[in-house]
């Protein structure tokens, strides 16, 4: 694991938005060009800032792209069906990697806590456990919250020092 230099702490409103949503649209690029996919995520604690964990197989297009490249992605998370005057959601950028060993086990705990139904269906639990578990470590996040004010934004940038 790569050591991290502490950046600014995650603002409470951005953390609350990460916790409020369950699906992110993950954008990536491979040899065939840009693509996006939706995945369910759970928020896990990272050494600095949040880690978003999600399930996908390395045999999917995005799994191959994330395995074969540097793993840089962009993403959004928001609820469907929002009115423009109350639109709330997140934009972000970060790095993805497949988890193994103890890191995978700890991330599974966060994923199962967020989606307890995975444990309640034996067939689903077995299928999910055979699938790869990934971590997305955001290094930049922007919260859009039109409910506070049209165009209201709050940002978190891991690269900026205190």
């Amino acid at each position: 694991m790569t050591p991290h230099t502490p950046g600014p702490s995650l603002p409470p409103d951005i953390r609350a938005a990460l916790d409020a949503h369950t699906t992110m649209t993950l954008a990536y690029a491979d040899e065939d060009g840009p693509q996006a996919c939706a995945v369910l995520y759970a928020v896990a604690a990272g050494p600095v800032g949040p880690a978003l964990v999600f399930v996908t197989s390395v045999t999917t297009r995005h799994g191959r792209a994330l395995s074969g490249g540097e793993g840089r992605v962009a993403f959004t998370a928001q609820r469907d069906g929002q009115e423009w005057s109350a639109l709330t959601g997140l934009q972000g950028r970060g790095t993805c990697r497949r988890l193994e060993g103890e890191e995978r086990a700890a991330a599974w705990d966060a994923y199962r806590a967020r989606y307890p139904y995975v444990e309640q269906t034996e067939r689903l639990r077995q299928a999910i456990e055979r699938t790869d578990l990934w971590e997305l470590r955001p290094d930049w996040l922007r919260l859009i919250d039109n409910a506070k004010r049209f165009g209201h934004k709050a940002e978190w940038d891991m690269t900026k020092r205190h």
Side-chain angles (χ1 to χ4, degrees), residues 74-95:
F75 66 95
T76 64
Q78 67 283 322
R79 285 186 319 277
D80 285 340
Q82 298 183 67
E83 296 291 326
W84 70 268
S85 60
L87 181 70
T88 301
L90 292 156
Q91 301 169 346
R93 290 187 302 263
T95 305

Side-chain angles (χ1 to χ4, degrees), residues 96-113:
C96 285
R97 67 186 180 97
R98 194 164 51 100
L99 296 173
E100 296 179 358
E102 290 179 22
E103 289 180 314
R104 177 185 161 99
W108 269 121
D109 290 343
Y111 197 84
R112 283 194 282 258

Side-chain angles (χ1 to χ4, degrees), residues 3 28 48 56 66 79 90 95 148:
Y28 59 93
V48 177
T56 197
L66 297 174
R79 285 186 319 277
L90 292 156
T95 305
K148 290 186 177 182

Side-chain angles (χ1 to χ4, degrees), residues 6-24:
S9 61
L10 194 63
D13 56 346
I14 292 179
R15 175 58 198 237
L18 284 172
D19 289 339
H21 303 296
T22 59
T23 306
M24 70 175 157

